[in-house]
Amino acid sequence: MKNIAVIGAGTMGNGIAHTFAQFNYKVHLIDISDVALQKGLATITKNLDRMLAKEKISEADKTKTLNNITTFTKISKGVANMDLVVEAATENAVLKAKIFKELDEVCDEKTILATNTSSISITQIAGVTSRPEKVIGMHFMNPVPIMKLVEIIRGYNTTDEITNVIVELSKKIGKIPVEVNDYPGFVANRILMPMINESIETLYNGVAGVAEIDTVMKLGMAHPMGPLQLADFIGLDVCLSILQVMYDGFKNPKYAPCPLLVNMVNAGKLGVKSGEGFYDYSENRKAEVVAKMFS
């Protein structure tokens, strides 16, 4: 397995592409627009430069990584002859179903289809294909080149063979795979998102301010980043989407998104990517946050 296609050049997609390419896999990075692809490549280049400055990689490593990535604006061309396709599009069940239907039609029979979904049922996604046994979840953590964990989620029909292939592949790119079952939010977000949501509720109810809530969690619970700052980094729209998936899946009010989170997303305050969330991010500040994650 040496040929990997990644669908989506956003934060997660370009990070996944970066990681596979750095480990000398041939990567096809696919997005619907050249603008998105160029932005994704620019992000990969900046992150490689940070790693180079910290002597974590060499100039040759950087060049090799970038040379291993080819961009495409059409799925049908980008996934031809690929061993694995990793979908990293927006966390939207309808969009993912549409993508997987197309992938099933245009990919080789041998191609494994993976999704980086952080909450949506693998079984549901696999159900739109004629190869549910070859569909699996690979939930990478952000920033992908740095974070070690990959949640491996098998759908109802995913075979042991496919699961073992993806587990071993994850190890080969320096990750630690952890197998979890296919329930809304899996493990990481089933625990993380209620904590973030409760932190927003704490702010919403006037118990403490943003900096105070984050400081308590950093100093009192030894978290490297406070939950509100982490929500900004993840994207408040993503947090809202995951909570909605869990609320719909479990019908449990403890997963209901805080009204403040809903209002902020409706107002376009999405965190780092929009320039403002619970904190205010100028361009310089945004660069600082990303640089810190690669330190």
Side-chain angles (χ1 to χ4, degrees):
M1 182 174 288
K2 293 298 294 181
N3 300 301
I4 315 291
V6 179
I7 298 179
T11 300
M12 296 305 295
N14 70 60
I16 295 167
H18 171 163
T19 301
F20 276 111
Q22 190 174 328
F23 281 82
N24 211 28
Y25 289 83
K26 298 302 180 184
V27 178
H28 288 185
L29 182 58
I30 307 164
D31 208 302
I32 59 174
S33 77
D34 281 319
V35 173
L37 288 166
Q38 292 310 309
K39 184 177 179 182
L41 286 175
T43 298
I44 293 170
T45 302
K46 287 179 183 177
N47 290 336
L48 287 168
D49 285 339
R50 292 187 183 102
M51 297 172 81
L52 181 61
K54 295 179 183 297
E55 299 183 344
K56 292 184 177 181
I57 62 170
S58 66
E59 187 68 48
D61 292 328
K62 173 188 170 183
T63 300
K64 177 193 71 175
T65 299
L66 292 173
N67 287 341
N68 280 336
I69 301 172
T70 307
T71 60
F72 294 84
T73 55
K74 290 189 180 298
I75 287 179
S76 58
K77 291 185 178 180
V79 301
N81 301 314
M82 293 290 103
D83 300 306
L84 169 69
V85 178
V86 182
E87 171 272 319
T90 303
E91 192 71 353
N92 179 289
V94 174
L95 175 62
K96 290 183 187 296
K98 180 180 178 182
I99 291 171
F100 271 78
K101 283 180 181 177
E102 181 174 358
L103 289 175
D104 190 46
E105 293 170 358
V106 300
C107 287
D108 294 342
E109 288 185 9
K110 69 179 178 64
T111 305
I112 299 171
L113 306 182
T115 173
N116 182 58
T117 181
S118 54
S119 60
I120 299 168
S121 168
I122 308 304
T123 303
Q124 176 185 339
I125 292 171
V128 304
T129 76
S130 63
R131 63 181 90 189
E133 74 284 355
K134 290 189 175 80
V135 178
I136 195 165
M138 292 184 77
H139 179 209
F140 291 86
M141 304 295 121
N142 186 26
V144 180
I146 303 300
M147 301 293 280
K148 291 293 186 181
L149 175 66
V150 181
E151 278 189 303
I152 306 296
I153 312 102
R154 58 191 299 166
Y156 187 83
N157 293 297
T158 310
T159 64
D160 291 341
E161 179 187 2
I162 295 300
T163 303
N164 292 336
V165 166
I166 296 303
V167 165
E168 291 307 309
L169 175 65
S170 300
K171 293 176 182 177
K172 288 177 181 176
I173 58 172
K175 303 304 181 188
I176 299 174
V178 177
E179 291 186 53
V180 306
N181 291 322
D182 187 18
Y183 291 95
F186 316 130
V187 171
N189 281 321
R190 184 168 178 172
I191 295 170
L192 175 63
M193 286 301 152
M195 183 190 73
I196 287 176
N197 198 43
E198 191 61 31
S199 301
I200 300 171
E201 285 279 2
T202 302
L203 176 66
Y204 182 58
N205 292 329
V207 178
V210 171
E212 288 76 14
I213 292 169
D214 277 355
T215 298
V216 166
M217 296 304 290
K218 286 190 288 186
L219 299 184
M221 284 67 184
H223 290 192
M225 183 182 291
L228 298 177
Q229 185 182 12
L230 178 57
D232 274 354
F233 193 81
I234 294 169
L236 301 191
D237 54 336
V238 176
C239 293
L240 177 59
S241 176
I242 295 169
L243 284 164
Q244 288 170 332
V245 167
M246 292 197 296
Y247 182 63
D248 290 342
F250 293 115
K251 306 302 181 187
N252 190 322
K254 74 178 181 180
Y255 299 115
C258 175
L260 176 58
L261 174 61
V262 175
N263 281 344
M264 290 179 71
V265 171
N266 287 339
K269 312 298 184 184
L270 308 181
V272 174
K273 61 185 170 186
S274 72
E276 185 179 352
F278 293 105
Y279 294 86
D280 185 20
Y281 302 91
S282 64
E283 282 302 313
N284 288 338
R285 174 59 180 149
K286 190 184 298 186
E288 278 178 28
V289 171
V290 176
K292 185 175 181 182
M293 296 300 290
F294 279 82
S295 63

